[in-house]
Amino acid sequence: MDTYRIVEDSFRSLVISHAQVERLWTGGRWLEGPVYWADAGMLVFSDIPNDRLLRAVDDSVTVFRSPSRHANGNTRDREGRLVTCEHGSRSVTRTEHTGAATTLAHRYAEKRLNSPNDVVVRSDGSIWFTDPDYGITSDYEGDRAESEIGGCHVYRLDPETSALTRVIDTMVKPNGLAFSLDESILYVSDTGSSHEPDGPPHIRKFQVQADAVLDDLGVFAVVDPPASDGFRLDEYGNLWTSAGDGVHCYAPDGTLLGKVLVPERVSNVAFGGPRRNRLFITATTSLYSIYLAIRGAPATGCAGD
Ligand code: MG
């Protein structure tokens, strides 16, 4: 199997021609939510159907937390605390340095959230997350239930007041999200094509205005084959996203530069390693990685981990 699909010549400068996609571990059911802890040399990721968080250290994988309340997306806040989207509790939680769990968001307008999916923390400490219904449509990744909110939206939690604001209500299944390097743009994927043939398979972008108001800038990229479940940016602002055939890399103007081909369907990616030049890839049952010629975006402000 080829390692890459080169679409634009500039992609060659981002990758190492002879590097390989390495399978580090297998044995999960549906892996997501990788977050790299540079200070611990550790990657934490979710195995949602198996209700556990796993940890990879030196390529050896052990259980980090089980049960995990069907944890999905993970990130760390400005103080290094783990922030987790949980399908089972239908909430976003923070793990304090003591190990205690704090619920950050559980309801909006008196109604329970669906099943928070992916989360990023901005440099001002605000927490932004998506809330599609994948965790409540069956008992596979959570507990089957009706949506109380009746739609799938994107929310922002204010770090000072803990007020929860709905910032996007025009998506079918909002999923992955990340900020541009200067945090002026919020990218959010819509994986609506997962359940509806005509549903959206794309990433949209939004200008972040004052007071956290978003200005819709339209579709950033159509991901084919889908789905853009989760993504991260590199140090140049290129966006590396999951796709049906591996990892796709898009330039800041939305041009598809190339692909890293992965033998299983990819869900999420995270930059890590001591030099942040290693891309960790969660893909269905397995954790993969590949070394790149560039580094991930700095950990603070935009990378979400
Ligand atoms: Mg996701």
Side-chain angles (χ1 to χ4, degrees):
M1 182 176 177
D2 291 340
T3 303
Y4 307 111
R5 179 83 28 87
I6 308 287
V7 179
E8 299 287 338
D9 262 348
S10 59
F11 188 63
R12 297 181 197 279
S13 66
L14 306 182
V15 299
I16 296 167
S17 62
H18 55 278
Q20 296 290 312
V21 173
E22 305 168 33
R23 189 167 81 172
L24 305 179
W25 179 82
T26 191
R29 283 205 163 87
W30 181 254
L31 305 181
E32 282 220 45
V35 56
Y36 189 74
W37 300 46
D39 43 351
M42 169 174 80
L43 184 87
V44 170
F45 57 103
S46 301
D47 181 1
I48 306 175
N50 284 325
D51 198 14
R52 59 183 179 172
L53 284 166
L54 298 167
R55 122 179 66 198
V57 180
D58 295 332
D59 304 344
S60 135
V61 172
T62 53
V63 172
F64 180 77
R65 178 186 299 165
S66 180
S68 64
R69 298 183 290 269
H70 294 283
N72 186 338
N74 297 288
T75 192
R76 295 176 82 194
D77 69 8
R78 299 306 120 196
E79 296 178 36
R81 296 170 296 191
L82 181 66
V83 177
T84 300
C85 292
E86 298 179 0
H87 289 179
S89 65
R90 299 172 68 165
S91 66
V92 178
T93 65
R94 181 177 65 214
T95 303
E96 308 298 340
H97 293 303
T98 61
T102 301
T103 298
L104 300 177
H106 181 47
R107 293 177 184 273
Y108 178 79
E110 308 294 315
K111 294 175 177 160
R112 294 175 75 191
L113 297 169
N114 297 321
S115 49
N117 190 292
D118 211 346
V119 58
V120 288
V121 178
R122 205 159 177 252
S123 59
D124 62 3
S126 58
I127 296 172
W128 303 62
F129 64 93
T130 56
D131 185 43
D133 57 3
Y134 293 116
I136 56 172
T137 53
S138 75
D139 291 315
Y140 190 57
E141 294 191 358
D143 301 308
R144 191 175 68 179
E146 291 295 317
S147 172
E148 296 182 15
I149 286 182
C152 301
H153 309 303
V154 182
Y155 298 88
R156 173 189 182 273
L157 186 74
D158 189 281
E160 306 293 335
T161 66
S162 296
L164 192 61
T165 306
R166 181 180 288 172
V167 291
I168 301 174
D169 62 0
T170 56
M171 300 185 105
V172 179
K173 308 267 189 197
N175 203 323
L177 73 174
F179 286 101
S180 61
L181 299 186
D182 65 1
E183 300 189 321
S184 67
I185 302 287
L186 175 66
Y187 299 97
V188 187
S189 63
D190 193 334
T191 52
S193 63
S194 64
H195 286 62
E196 300 170 24
D198 298 328
H202 56 223
I203 301 169
R204 281 166 60 182
K205 64 178 188 177
F206 299 83
Q207 185 92 41
V208 184
Q209 310 283 18
D211 300 325
V213 171
L214 297 180
D215 187 11
D216 188 352
L217 300 180
V219 172
F220 167 73
V222 174
V223 178
D224 180 31
S228 175
D229 193 325
F231 47 85
R232 290 288 182 260
L233 272 63
D234 69 24
E235 60 184 318
Y236 301 112
N238 300 308
L239 186 151
W240 298 74
T241 177
S242 68
D245 55 355
V247 177
H248 293 190
C249 176
Y250 294 88
D253 68 357
T255 302
L256 175 62
L257 301 179
K259 305 178 179 183
V260 177
L261 302 176
V262 178
E264 294 182 76
R265 182 173 154 195
V266 176
S267 64
N268 263 283
V269 299
F271 287 93
R275 299 181 181 182
R276 275 187 96 70
N277 63 339
R278 190 178 190 184
L279 189 68
F280 290 96
I281 302 165
T282 50
T284 312
T285 64
S286 306
L287 175 68
Y288 297 85
S289 79
I290 187 167
Y291 283 94
L292 299 171
I294 46 83
R295 297 176 177 175
T300 53
C302 53
D305 55 358

